[in-house]
Each structure stands twice: as structure tokens, then as C-alpha cells.
Amino acid sequence: MIAAVQGIQLNQQLMNKIQDEKKLTGNESFTYALDAAKELIQANKAAEAETKNLTNDFITGANDDIASLLIAQEKSGILLQYTLQVRNGLLSAYKEIMNLSV
């Protein structure tokens, strides 16, 4: 759960850094965006793994706290939706760049 929130915060920090830097070259901005995407994917994987572990613990009876399970599932779902929105934004930006005339 915490990993998902930290991943979102890290992504926001990277995006703020990109916006604060006024004179980025093409390679630097691409590197920042790529790093942000990698961190977001890692946070998504961590949240999914935590949800899977809590689900298995609940099913086997090792943990009977359904509230933490539901919270983890919701956070994982929100992080996945956020990741998809970032992907859609990147694809949209890519399409706009490809449509530019040289």
C-alpha cells in the first residue's frame, strides 16, 4: 500500500522536476520521462504483489483483516488506472509529435 503511494509521489516529483527545468534537451526530457515511467511500473508491480499476498493470506486464514485487503485492492486498482492514464498521455504526445511537419 505504501509502495503505491510512494510511487505516485515519486512520479509527481519527477514530473515537477521536468516542468521546473526550462532548458532540457530532447535526451534529458526523454530520460526523465522514461525514469518516471519505470518508477511507476515498479510501484504498480509492488502494489499488485502486496495485494496478491494479502489476498492469499486472507484465503488461507493467515490474516482475517478484510479492511486492509480491500484497501490494498483499491490502491492497486487506482495505481493501475493512473498508470494507464500516463500511458495514454504519452501515446497522445507521441502521436502529436509524429504529426508535426518538419
Side-chain angles (χ1 to χ4, degrees), residues 31-69:
T31 302
Y32 286 134
L34 185 62
D35 289 342
K38 286 180 183 178
E39 292 295 327
L40 187 58
I41 290 171
Q42 289 173 355
N44 198 5
K45 286 181 181 180
E48 187 177 329
E50 183 178 358
T51 301
K52 183 178 178 181
N53 288 338
L54 285 173
T55 301
N56 287 338
D57 288 347
F58 185 77
I59 290 172
T60 59
N63 184 6
D64 63 346
D65 185 16
I66 193 165
S68 64
L69 172 62

Side-chain angles (χ1 to χ4, degrees), residues 3-4 6 8 23-24 27 32 36 42 54 74 95:
Q6 289 173 343
I8 291 172
K23 297 179 181 177
L24 290 177
N27 290 338
Y32 286 134
Q42 289 173 355
L54 285 173
E74 190 65 27
K95 288 178 184 178

Side-chain angles (χ1 to χ4, degrees), residues 61-82:
N63 184 6
D64 63 346
D65 185 16
I66 193 165
S68 64
L69 172 62
L70 293 175
I71 290 170
Q73 287 176 340
E74 190 65 27
K75 285 183 180 181
S76 181
I78 290 170
L79 187 57
L80 180 61
Q81 290 174 2
Y82 181 70

